[in-house]
Amino acid sequence: MATTIEGLAPTVAPTPAPVRPRRRSERFTIGSTIVVVIYALCCLVPFWVIIASSLTDESEVSRTGYSFFPSDFSLEAYAQIFGGSSFVINAYVASVFITVIGTALALSATSGLAWVISRRESRFSRPLAFYTYIPLLLSGGLVPLYILVTQYLQLRNTWWAVILPLAVSPFLVFVQMQFFREIPQALIDSARIDGANELRIFFTIVLPISKPILAVIGLFYGVTYWNEWFTALLFISDKELQPLQQVLQMMIGNVSAAQAIQPAAEASAPIYQLRMALTVVTMGPILLAYPFAQRYFVKGLTLGATKG
């Protein structure tokens, strides 16, 4: 709208800037959604094929191969895994104990170590940071570990032989340390003014506000302990103490060996169906654990990965 004032040149009101079309952002959203859906299908389809094959009769699997739907429904593989023997049940108990106790112990050790390192004013901060950083670059090797666990610690044929070697991950220590450094210093100072000591600050203030990173670290440790089989293979020979992963590998190996030596054993041992059923049994508990930590997962990773 043009306006004139006596003695001044006419002025024109500025026109609003044109609104940019949002086609590019909409195209990006649609494209990213398609990519995510395709990636999800690539992850879900093999998992569904495994479940369907574990419920398909062995003769049908041998004749037609793996399929999306169980054409000849059968629970024979699951009956052979859980029926008539407590072997797999004992393995489940061992895996649950190793996972629960190991995750709790590793989470406690990692949190305490990361908190001390994050407090730069502590005289132990720098030595512990250097001590934790060394295993990221150097490793003692398998032979020293075996000698330490079996001869010095005397942990052979115990579940602690699997728990203790994996109790502290240097990478996860530094991730949690960075999270602790982002806690406002004013919050710590106010607690000190109120008379709280370091332990009380850590347990009543730091840990309650660190649920995201604790969930992420705990999930990493839980998956590691649940899937661990090589350490158990090294240190556990007692069949009553062997965890699930080690037992399943031995069962698959024995069935495969029987099939190679005696081809007639195919009728009595569902080779392919048993393999699929063992896979489902193994990864079931971990899949159930993810939804409980999913809401903390992204938040914990992003907060622990930024630089202060």
Side-chain angles (χ1 to χ4, degrees):
M1 178 182 215
T3 59
T4 58
I5 301 178
E6 188 177 353
L8 296 176
T11 59
V12 180
T15 58
V19 180
R20 295 182 178 179
R22 298 184 177 180
R23 293 182 179 178
R24 291 184 178 179
S25 60
E26 292 177 356
R27 290 176 181 175
F28 175 78
T29 303
I30 296 174
S32 60
T33 303
I34 294 175
V35 171
V36 171
V37 170
I38 294 175
Y39 181 77
L41 290 176
C42 292
C43 297
L44 293 177
V45 168
F47 178 61
W48 175 253
V49 170
I50 291 174
I51 296 178
S53 301
S54 68
L55 299 174
T56 304
D57 187 75
E58 176 71 13
S59 60
E60 186 68 19
V61 175
S62 302
R63 186 174 63 87
T64 62
Y66 303 124
S67 60
F68 287 98
F69 301 100
S71 56
D72 190 0
F73 187 82
S74 173
L75 295 175
E76 183 181 357
Y78 292 98
Q80 288 200 10
I81 293 175
F82 295 105
S85 175
S86 61
F87 194 46
V88 177
I89 303 300
N90 293 335
Y92 249 109
V93 173
S95 293
V96 170
F97 179 88
I98 291 173
T99 302
V100 173
I101 302 300
T103 301
L105 179 63
L107 194 58
S108 301
T110 302
S111 300
L113 185 59
W115 173 249
V116 175
I117 295 176
S118 66
R119 312 316 298 165
R120 293 190 177 104
E121 66 271 11
S122 174
R123 61 179 179 177
F124 300 104
S125 176
R126 185 164 297 183
L128 285 177
F130 180 76
Y131 180 76
T132 307
Y133 184 68
I134 290 178
L136 288 175
L137 304 177
L138 303 174
S139 175
L142 186 60
V143 175
L145 175 64
Y146 185 84
I147 294 175
L148 175 65
V149 173
T150 57
Q151 297 186 12
Y152 290 93
L153 299 180
Q154 299 293 325
L155 296 177
R156 184 176 177 83
N157 280 327
T158 64
W159 290 332
W160 296 103
V162 182
I163 295 174
L164 293 182
L166 305 174
V168 177
S169 171
F171 172 75
L172 297 180
V173 170
F174 286 112
V175 170
Q176 194 168 7
M177 175 206 69
Q178 190 59 48
F179 180 92
F180 286 154
R181 285 184 175 176
E182 294 179 359
I183 297 177
Q185 184 62 33
L187 185 63
I188 308 298
D189 294 338
S190 62
R192 288 175 179 170
I193 293 174
D194 292 337
N197 56 20
E198 291 295 328
L199 287 178
R200 187 170 183 180
I201 292 173
F202 179 68
F203 285 106
T204 61
I205 297 178
V206 175
L207 290 184
I209 64 177
S210 302
K211 290 181 181 179
I213 195 65
L214 292 177
V216 173
I217 300 299
L219 185 61
F220 277 132
Y221 277 122
V223 172
T224 300
Y225 278 114
W226 181 263
N227 292 331
E228 182 59 33
W229 64 271
F230 184 70
T231 307
L233 183 64
L234 289 176
F235 303 119
I236 298 180
S237 58
D238 189 353
K239 293 184 178 180
E240 298 294 328
L241 300 176
Q242 291 173 347
L244 182 63
Q245 301 290 344
Q246 183 181 0
V247 170
L248 296 185
Q249 274 210 337
M250 292 174 59
M251 291 176 65
I252 292 177
N254 292 338
V255 171
S256 300
Q259 174 66 21
I261 297 174
Q262 297 178 353
E266 183 179 358
S268 60
I271 307 299
Y272 303 105
Q273 186 188 8
L274 183 60
R275 288 176 177 174
M276 299 297 104
L278 293 176
T279 305
V280 174
V281 169
T282 302
M283 62 185 176
I286 291 299
L287 291 179
L288 296 177
Y290 269 97
F292 295 99
Q294 189 259 347
R295 61 172 179 167
Y296 297 113
F297 197 77
V298 176
K299 183 179 179 182
L301 283 180
T302 54
L303 290 177
T306 55
K307 223 175 179 183

